[in-house]
Amino acid sequence: MWDVTVTIDSMMPTYLGDPSFKRRVVQAIADGKPADVSLLTLSAHIGTHVDAPSHLIPGGKTVDELDLTVMVGPARVVEFDEPGAITAEFLEGIDGLAADERILFKTGNSSLWEERRFAEEYVGLSVDAANWIIDKGIRLVGIDYLSIDAPGDTDLPVHRALLANDIVVVESLNLSQVPAGHY
């Protein structure tokens, strides 16, 4: 079993414009209180998270309406060690990938978690890769950084395509220690 979540703290990178994580202690055992109690302030995009269709599609499903069975089961970790976007051509070249229901992309992004600022150059998916995923009936796709869209795609076309087709998007995975393969 691998824990592929990122640790949440106030210094972690956030997507441009997203608020950072904040924790304020409101009661402390050290001050004679019966329990430690904290107030947390965070964006829904802090740390490892699922994007619901409602994130970008008016009237789309919210996270509580997603089918949990999509998020549990066999997954394949695919390594992409090149700069630039993951393309349909790359996906087409991987034996048996189309038969997988859940794909997690391990890229050079995993090393970006060590930095304490947003990295403007990261690996995302191209629109043709999103269309390939849709056409193959893949149900969940994850990536190891803050956005599944490639840098500069401010209209978020990959998000929109995947979410409109009920494909669960998981972002901000830490796959740095996980070898490529079936899980």
Side-chain angles (χ1 to χ4, degrees), residues 94-170:
I94 300 172
D95 285 339
L97 185 61
D100 292 299
E101 287 187 72
R102 298 166 195 87
I103 300 172
L104 308 178
F105 290 104
K106 176 183 180 177
T107 72
N109 294 343
S110 282
S111 66
L112 298 175
W113 292 116
E114 297 168 14
E115 298 182 26
R116 294 311 213 173
R117 61 171 181 76
F118 175 73
E120 300 210 18
E121 291 299 318
Y122 59 89
V123 174
L125 271 65
S126 65
V127 173
D128 70 330
N131 290 330
W132 187 92
I133 288 166
I134 293 163
D135 291 344
K136 301 303 180 195
I138 292 161
R139 300 174 68 199
L140 180 145
V141 62
I143 196 147
D144 55 353
Y145 204 55
L146 298 165
S147 180
I148 199 144
D149 276 278
D153 283 340
T154 56
D155 290 334
L156 307 174
V158 171
H159 274 87
R160 292 180 191 286
L162 296 174
L163 296 174
N165 285 278
D166 287 326
I167 296 169
V168 173
V169 173
V170 183

Side-chain angles (χ1 to χ4, degrees), residues 56-71:
L56 294 172
I57 300 168
K61 289 180 183 174
T62 56
V63 288
D64 59 311
E65 297 172 315
L66 296 177
D67 180 358
L68 290 177
T69 64
V70 175
M71 294 174 250

Side-chain angles (χ1 to χ4, degrees), residues 5-22 42-49 108-122 144-147 171-174:
T5 60
V6 295
T7 301
I8 296 175
D9 66 38
S10 62
M11 299 302 292
M12 71 185 308
T14 59
Y15 197 79
L16 295 175
D18 283 357
S20 61
F21 171 80
K22 293 181 180 66
L42 60 140
S43 160
H45 286 103
I46 283 287
T48 306
H49 65 276
N109 294 343
S110 282
S111 66
L112 298 175
W113 292 116
E114 297 168 14
E115 298 182 26
R116 294 311 213 173
R117 61 171 181 76
F118 175 73
E120 300 210 18
E121 291 299 318
Y122 59 89
D144 55 353
Y145 204 55
L146 298 165
S147 180
E171 294 174 320
S172 299
L173 295 166
N174 183 352

